[in-house]
Amino acid sequence: MFSHHLLRPLASIGLLLTLGLGVATELAGQDTRTASGESSVTIRLDGERSPRAEEQRFIVTGLPQSTLRRLSAVGADNSEAWHATMSVTVVTDAESPNTEAADAGPAAARVAARPMLGDYFVEEGAVVFVPRYPLRRGTTYRVAVITKNAEQALTLVREFSLAAAPKQPATRIVAVFPTASLLPENQLKFYLHFSSPMSRGEAYDRVKLLDDQGDEVDFPFLELGEELWDPAGTRFTLFFDPGRIKRGLKPRELFGPSLIEGRSYTLVVDRAWRDARGQPLHAAHYKRFKVAAPDDVQPAPSNWQIVAPAAESRQPLVVSFGEPLDHAMLQRVLTVQQGKDTVPGKMVISKQESQWSFQPADDWAAGEYSLVVDAALEDLAGNSIGQPFEVDVFNQVDRVSTPAAVPIPFVIR
Amino acid sequence: MFRKTMLLTVAAICCAYTVQAESKYGLETGSPGLKSAGALAFGPDGILFVADAKQATVFALDTEDTTGDPSGAKFEIKNLGKAVADMLGTEARDVSINDLAVNPQSGNVYLSVSRGRGPDATPVLLRIDAANRLSEVSLKKVAFSKATLPNPPADAVTGEGRRRSNKRTQSITDLGFVDGQLFVAGLSNEEFASKLTAIPFPFKAAAGGTSVEIYHGAHGGFETRSPVRTFTSYKIGNENHLLAAYTCTPLVKFKVADLQAGKKLKGTTIAELGNRNNPLDMFVYQQDGKDYLLIANTSRGVMKVTTDEIGEIEGITSRIAGTAGLKYETIEALKGVTQLDRLNATHAIALVVDESGAANLSTIALP
């Protein structure tokens, strides 16, 4: 490993002319091995484990005074002038033992590394480079220092392989909504919940839909450049391709709906999906479901069953919808109000998202209340209280008339 | 001495310009505090609009990049992802290039990038100049203003004084500046609504703009709301229109004047682009005295759409075999295009993913 690193020609710098300058390489978890040196030039990395870039410093000492004087006059933004003496680059692809071969295609190997962004300055007789962004754990950085004397230019190279982040317990899929195993043909989306933040940019390569023959359904999902995650990165929203749900559109007419009534399917989540730390999932996940007739009926709060508890108790208010509704929206669109005041309490979603119950923080007082529902609340097929997913009228666009919120009165006795 | 004088003159011009842009557009200088950087669009005088979906906010940044010659620019960078990762001191797998936009005044290319793949990824803006040099656009001391999108998700408080975490976000799929207004398209990660937001620029204090709910029809007599994936502006006669591609593939036109707050608006479907292709980017260009629309798609190569009947077309209302509406040809040679923008009168710039999976920045002749 040692000699391999040292003898390779450095494309970005020119041929390595000498090994006699205290050339060193440092590997994670091992002692530094240093060749005997004729020069006093040393390269070190301070603050390697600091999460803050400004505390991470590559420091070169022992450079001739003439070099330091020259560099002291170089502006901080003149990076090309600094690079003539010192550059820090990322070691990637086949060069690095830490890079997965799958991630570096052949094209990657042909491209010489560009120097990293950061600030150079001279301080206390040393040349210092502070990277603009924190160093990445598990990555190898190469520092090249070029010194010149009357006879020749000497290149000193030292590599720093940062220890990989300690392994954490693997991330798991903790829930997939809807939880029901019978879904309408025009099912609009899934929510995948993970135990830890996930990595972005590979979602659509990690999910597939298999039919009851085990064949993969072609392009069932809407693939977006900006994946639909929650702010914490632990919930992913996977929409079915709406072009194959909506009637009268070419995608559906050419290829049919993604789901067909009466058939069974499995949503498969690939274990290789990486979490935010780059680790694969604990296990693949399978959600099996059967497909029922399409649901074109809007949720109607007037049909909901509300069981009001007795006054002076903390028994929950129980609302049964008669069908599963959107799990994510149920968390935020229902509130219990007395007059204009919101009643504090806790809610629970149950019975495959077809029931919502609310336990007040204090005992119920006798009186009139209302359950206030945001009209945006959708069922599994995207029909909301305010409007159906599709309207079977043509050239007839009305002004929005549904109120934004629908109050449903109930009485506590 | 001469040199020093020159420098001073240049500095004076720069200052004068900055002051002008700041006062003209009500910008303030400082750190805009981006938390994510997605869709990009250029406005007047080198103003770059950047979508920050994480904060449901759009930023206007003064790039001070107003001189150059787009007509002769030629960009070729192999494996741009690696080049960017090298600069940012990380590995290509930990970098994503979210959008690309050409500054029409200078011909320089701007990239929005995430460094890191998790929810705490760092937003970065990069500029590529005509010599194919990459540099960072400083987000520390820059003249900027911002507008927060209307109806940002509000935390519902229902439990024991405890605020529940709100998982709803509004992603921003595209931005476009037309006639003094910034249009913002996007979709929520929960409800399937379709809102196109118009924000007048310069942004006013507490600017939020207005949202219009947009619909489209389909043959057979159905209409639905649907999020817009990408759009561009186009003048039909004397009226500004938006040409927009929905996530479910119809291509529609709207009159900009019809996009009014509180109104429910149905776009006229002018083409159905077929399946297995999600539109990614589009722009209008001229060739031999005619206008064409160029659309990059996820899987069908690049489409060149004729605009000959765009003014008269009444909308696709009946069942038509194959593709209906405006005619288009698919440029099969242009496969793997993930980002596309107009560079000049004869060329576009594209990010093209090759067989090895590397994304190469290329200048391509307009078909």
Side-chain angles (χ1 to χ4, degrees):
Chain A
M1 181 65 69
F2 182 50
S3 57
H4 168 75
H5 274 293
L6 295 180
L7 295 176
R8 186 177 53 258
L10 297 169
S12 57
I13 297 167
L15 203 63
L16 192 65
L17 291 178
T18 178
L19 301 181
L21 280 174
V23 176
T25 188
E26 182 176 276
L27 295 170
Q30 296 179 20
D31 294 337
T32 305
R33 289 174 287 177
T34 310
S36 61
E38 297 164 4
S39 160
S40 58
V41 173
T42 62
I43 305 172
R44 70 174 200 268
L45 168 60
D46 284 2
E48 175 188 327
R49 290 186 180 265
S50 169
R52 295 157 60 88
E54 56 269 35
E55 290 172 1
Q56 298 176 326
R57 294 173 162 219
F58 292 95
I59 299 171
V60 182
T61 56
L63 288 166
Q65 284 300 319
S66 56
T67 305
L68 294 175
R69 272 197 302 277
R70 180 172 55 80
L71 289 174
S72 296
V74 172
D77 53 352
N78 186 358
S79 53
E80 280 171 23
W82 289 97
H83 293 160
T85 298
M86 176 187 186
S87 65
V88 183
T89 51
V90 176
V91 181
T92 50
D93 60 59
E95 299 177 319
S96 167
N98 297 309
T99 308
E100 291 166 25
D103 289 307
R110 294 195 298 272
V111 183
R114 289 167 191 250
M116 281 163 57
L117 289 172
D119 295 324
Y120 293 89
F121 51 89
V122 175
E123 186 179 86
E124 294 174 359
V127 177
V128 180
F129 173 74
V130 180
R132 176 90 77 248
Y133 297 99
L135 300 175
R136 183 185 181 278
R137 302 189 78 168
T139 293
T140 299
Y141 295 88
R142 174 183 296 153
V143 183
V145 176
I146 301 167
T147 60
K148 289 177 185 158
N149 61 21
E151 290 87 44
Q152 58 188 352
L154 305 175
T155 302
L156 172 68
V157 173
R158 185 166 175 185
E159 290 187 356
F160 298 89
S161 287
L162 271 62
K167 285 228 167 204
Q168 303 283 333
T171 299
R172 295 164 180 269
I173 290 198
V174 291
V176 174
F177 293 100
T179 55
S181 54
L182 184 66
L183 304 178
E185 188 180 276
N186 52 353
Q187 174 70 34
L188 187 57
K189 55 181 155 349
F190 289 113
Y191 295 106
L192 310 182
H193 289 247
F194 298 88
S195 61
S196 298
M198 291 294 288
S199 173
R200 291 174 190 227
E202 57 187 271
Y204 301 109
D205 294 330
R206 304 302 186 202
V207 289
K208 61 183 172 187
L209 187 68
L210 302 181
D211 65 16
D212 40 17
Q213 305 298 308
D215 294 329
E216 196 173 336
V217 178
D218 286 338
F219 300 99
F221 303 117
L222 175 62
E223 300 187 10
L224 293 160
E226 190 178 332
E227 297 172 358
L228 298 172
W229 291 92
D230 73 331
T234 56
R235 191 192 72 188
F236 176 63
T237 308
L238 179 64
F239 275 101
F240 278 90
D241 179 354
R244 292 179 70 180
I245 295 175
K246 296 179 176 188
R247 289 165 288 181
L249 285 186
K250 213 179 119 213
R252 181 182 167 118
E253 298 199 341
L254 286 176
F255 303 101
S258 297
L259 302 175
I260 297 167
E261 183 184 351
R263 297 188 66 175
S264 297
Y265 296 85
T266 307
L267 171 70
V268 182
V269 181
D270 191 343
R271 180 175 178 266
W273 201 343
R274 287 173 297 189
D275 64 16
R277 298 167 309 217
Q279 297 181 171
L281 294 176
H282 170 74
H285 187 90
Y286 304 89
K287 175 175 173 66
R288 296 177 179 86
F289 59 95
K290 205 169 176 208
V291 174
D295 177 2
D296 301 318
V297 182
Q298 292 168 259
S302 56
N303 295 337
W304 293 355
Q305 197 181 58
I306 298 183
V307 178
E312 313 302 326
S313 80
R314 270 189 223 184
Q315 291 300 307
L317 171 79
V318 178
V319 183
S320 300
F321 310 121
E323 63 171 337
L325 298 179
D326 186 275
H327 177 263
M329 298 183 73
L330 281 176
Q331 319 252 347
R332 62 178 172 85
V333 300
L334 293 162
T335 50
V336 176
Q337 293 187 3
Q338 190 174 28
K340 285 184 176 169
D341 299 328
T342 299
V343 180
K346 282 194 265 189
M347 56 110 206
V348 174
I349 298 163
S350 59
K351 302 213 168 161
Q352 297 184 332
E353 301 87 67
S354 69
Q355 193 172 80
W356 185 87
S357 47
F358 175 82
Q359 188 177 35
D362 302 309
D363 289 357
W364 291 106
E368 293 180 352
Y369 292 80
S370 55
L371 175 72
V372 179
V373 194
D374 187 328
L377 178 59
E378 292 176 358
D379 63 18
L380 301 186
N383 302 298
S384 72
I385 293 170
Q387 54 199 340
F389 184 70
E390 292 181 305
V391 184
D392 195 352
V393 288
F394 198 63
N395 284 334
Q396 195 79 52
V397 179
D398 305 320
R399 285 182 168 271
V400 181
S401 55
T402 317
V406 181
I408 309 167
F410 65 94
V411 180
I412 299 280
R413 295 175 211 280
Chain B
M1 187 63 202
F2 170 71
R3 194 172 163 196
K4 201 169 180 182
T5 313
M6 274 248 307
L7 281 174
L8 284 173
T9 312
V10 169
I13 291 169
C14 286
C15 286
Y17 170 75
T18 303
V19 168
Q20 189 204 5
E22 281 187 45
S23 57
K24 192 169 171 187
Y25 299 115
L27 310 180
E28 57 175 300
T29 299
S31 170
L34 262 73
K35 290 200 173 152
S36 65
L40 300 175
F42 271 92
D45 296 334
I47 298 286
L48 175 63
F49 296 108
V50 185
D52 179 354
K54 215 166 168 182
Q55 300 188 85
T57 296
V58 186
F59 288 87
L61 308 178
D62 182 5
T63 61
E64 299 181 25
D65 177 20
T66 52
T67 52
D69 181 15
S71 66
K74 185 164 171 62
F75 294 92
E76 296 294 338
I77 298 180
K78 287 271 176 213
N79 203 344
L80 184 64
K82 180 177 185 307
V84 168
D86 284 346
M87 284 185 70
L88 303 183
T90 188
E91 298 183 10
R93 61 178 161 173
D94 272 355
V95 156
S96 56
I97 298 169
N98 303 321
D99 201 8
L100 165 160
V102 176
N103 182 345
Q105 288 199 290
S106 67
N108 291 332
V109 173
Y110 285 71
L111 304 175
S112 60
V113 170
S114 301
R115 184 186 188 270
R117 290 284 195 177
D120 300 326
T122 307
V124 180
L125 294 179
L126 298 173
R127 170 174 35 229
I128 309 173
D129 67 16
N132 286 285
R133 276 184 309 236
L134 276 152
S135 61
E136 193 183 25
V137 178
S138 172
L139 293 173
K140 278 189 180 148
K141 205 177 167 199
V142 60
F144 75 99
S145 64
K146 63 180 177 179
T148 300
L149 296 178
N151 307 319
D155 282 8
V157 182
T158 63
E160 297 168 343
R162 179 177 63 94
R163 286 172 79 82
R164 283 200 307 258
S165 68
N166 192 340
K167 292 174 180 291
R168 188 187 177 283
T169 55
Q170 184 77 36
S171 79
I172 296 170
T173 51
D174 207 359
L175 296 178
F177 183 75
V178 189
D179 228 9
Q181 294 192 95
L182 181 68
F183 288 91
V184 184
L187 73 164
S188 133
N189 65 345
E190 294 189 355
E191 76 276 10
F192 193 71
S194 173
K195 292 220 168 135
L196 195 64
T197 303
I199 310 172
F201 181 78
F203 299 146
K204 301 199 172 60
T210 51
S211 286
V212 181
E213 211 163 356
I214 49 176
Y215 284 68
H216 67 83
H219 52 267
F222 298 98
E223 62 179 40
T224 31
R225 57 202 190 277
S226 179
V228 165
R229 175 79 170 244
T230 180
F231 64 92
T232 191
S233 63
Y234 184 58
K235 212 163 221 174
I236 303 175
N238 284 323
E239 289 181 303
N240 273 321
H241 283 69
L242 293 187
L243 306 182
Y246 285 111
T247 52
C248 50
T249 72
L251 181 68
V252 301
K253 63 175 183 183
F254 300 99
K255 270 186 206 162
V256 168
D258 287 346
L259 293 161
Q260 289 166 15
K263 207 173 159 186
K264 197 169 131 182
L265 184 70
K266 193 169 83 176
T268 305
T269 303
I270 54 174
E272 268 209 57
L273 302 173
N275 196 31
R276 314 276 152 97
N277 74 69
N278 263 302
L280 296 172
D281 273 322
M282 63 165 91
F283 62 81
V284 175
Y285 68 100
Q286 292 76 39
Q287 198 172 62
D288 300 329
K290 285 188 170 183
D291 292 343
Y292 296 94
L293 180 65
L294 198 65
I295 307 177
N297 297 289
T298 46
S299 59
R300 283 183 61 126
V302 169
M303 287 174 179
K304 179 184 180 182
V305 185
T306 166
T307 63
D308 285 349
E309 296 157 18
I310 201 163
E312 299 82 57
I313 202 157
E314 288 299 321
I316 296 167
T317 57
S318 58
R319 194 171 296 265
I320 300 168
T323 47
L326 299 179
K327 293 178 184 64
Y328 66 81
E329 59 175 309
T330 303
I331 315 294
E332 297 288 350
L334 295 175
K335 278 207 160 62
V337 172
T338 59
Q339 302 280 354
L340 182 72
D341 199 5
R342 190 187 137 113
L343 178 60
N344 54 38
T346 53
H347 287 81
I349 187 149
L351 199 56
V352 186
V353 176
D354 66 20
E355 284 165 0
S356 75
N360 305 311
L361 187 71
S362 307
T363 302
I364 56 175
L366 288 170

